[in-house]
Amino acid sequence: MKAKVKRSTRRVKASVKTRAASRTKVMQAALKALRTEGFAGTSARAIGRVGGFPPGLIYYYFDSLEVLLLAAIDMTSSARLARYGEALAKANSVAEAIEVSSTLYREDVQSGHVAAVQELIAGASSSRGLRTEISRRIDPWIELAEAQISRFVDRSPSGALLPVHSIAQLVVAMYVGLETIAHLDRERLKVEDLFGAGMLLAPAIDDLLGKQDGTR
Amino acid sequence: MKAKVKRSTRRVKASVKTRAASRTKVMQAALKALRTEGFAGTSARAIGRVGGFPPGLIYYYFDSLEVLLLAAIDMTSSARLARYGEALAKANSVAEAIEVSSTLYREDVQSGHVAAVQELIAGASSSRGLRTEISRRIDPWIELAEAQISRFVDRSPSGALLPVHSIAQLVVAMYVGLETIAHLDRERLKVEDLFGAGMLLAPAIDDLLGKQDGTR
């Protein structure tokens, strides 16, 4: 009897694990479809073809295609958000923060994260509900930017006067804009060069923030 | 004979004028359709309905819907570009330039220019050709930003060291990003507040540029 319960618990645990893995597989296929087929081409059929499973599997885990796409973006975004937060926490100056962001942005492009997000933003244009959901998902990025900017600004006594929340919104907007422009034509805008320019400007900002605290 | 020639010239001139007005009417209807129906809903039929003309009229003036949409965006963009150039030329500091931009941006939102551009950028995602065309159309805005930034930077001797072209690209990216985020949910991001924040920051930038030329 005891052995039987143990075995059945193990079986349930294994099935939960399989279920989670299968659900993740569907979300990964959705992201890949967004990247390769674009939003307009990301049908249940296309996702199934990309992932090598019957399209019906989607509806076993998700109520609709829209719910799947949002869950998939949440999965990749929360992973990226954690990675940015961790890496940026180690930066000790604006210059270092830009350098770290440059590396992470390259990862975003290479992994296809940027392409998937851009396709979803573009596709959201045609759906009021999707637009609101995407919009809500920008907030954690603004919070992250705000926390990071605060770290540098709080060092100077006049930092309290700076509109940190607005600056964070502007930084995130710049990021979104860069991704949009780069997604239009990756040859025309070299985002890597822009991070280089940012690094040229950073010492002046660091200087300004440093000067404000009167230690120089 | 002479009178006949005069009259026929007048008639040709009048017909050229009518033709241009009719072509403009088609472009204006296309912009309105982009705003009200979204990119996905902007069919020849929808444009005709919005403008009150038979959809076939579109193909009398334009080879395809894509050609019409690009011509329509060119029409509104070149008007806005001229307006920005003229107004910004009168700004004598970064603070004034941001104040002017704030007013012009409000015009862009109210006239529906932002909405039409955003819909076209979103729609471009599904068409490689459209993406490249839209991307090319961002260049004049980067040039405008570069010319304006140069005016302020050139005042300081160390200005030559600043990556003005990259800064211009970052400013335009920020603008595009703000429009994208605002288009997702106009309640969530108050772009007007961000211009206010920019105006708070501007004196520091003006100060920095002023300080560099050693006159203070």
Side-chain angles (χ1 to χ4, degrees), chain B residues 140-209:
Chain B
W141 290 96
I142 296 173
E143 278 162 33
L144 173 71
E146 190 168 351
Q148 294 303 321
I149 296 166
S150 294
R151 285 205 302 131
F152 301 121
V153 163
D154 286 351
R155 293 181 190 169
S156 68
S158 54
L161 297 172
L162 285 174
V164 176
H165 182 66
S166 296
I167 297 172
Q169 287 182 306
L170 289 170
V171 168
V172 171
M174 195 159 71
Y175 227 75
V176 169
L178 284 176
E179 295 188 351
T180 303
I181 297 175
H183 189 58
L184 286 173
D185 188 350
R186 207 159 287 287
E187 290 309 304
R188 193 167 282 269
L189 185 89
K190 301 277 182 209
V191 180
E192 298 74 16
D193 295 353
L194 294 184
F195 277 111
M199 276 186 252
L200 271 177
L201 295 175
I205 302 171
D206 278 322
D207 216 38
L208 200 68
L209 290 172

Side-chain angles (χ1 to χ4, degrees), chain B residues 9 11 35 37 66 85 90 105 122 124 144 160 162-163 173 180 198 201:
Chain B
T9 310
R11 214 176 300 142
R35 291 197 297 271
E37 317 294 317
E66 214 168 281
K90 289 176 197 147
Y105 182 80
L144 173 71
L162 285 174
T180 303
L201 295 175

Side-chain angles (χ1 to χ4, degrees), chain B residues 32-54:
Chain B
K32 194 173 173 190
L34 275 175
R35 291 197 297 271
T36 56
E37 317 294 317
F39 179 83
T42 301
S43 58
R45 188 195 288 243
I47 295 170
R49 193 178 54 234
V50 163
F53 51 76

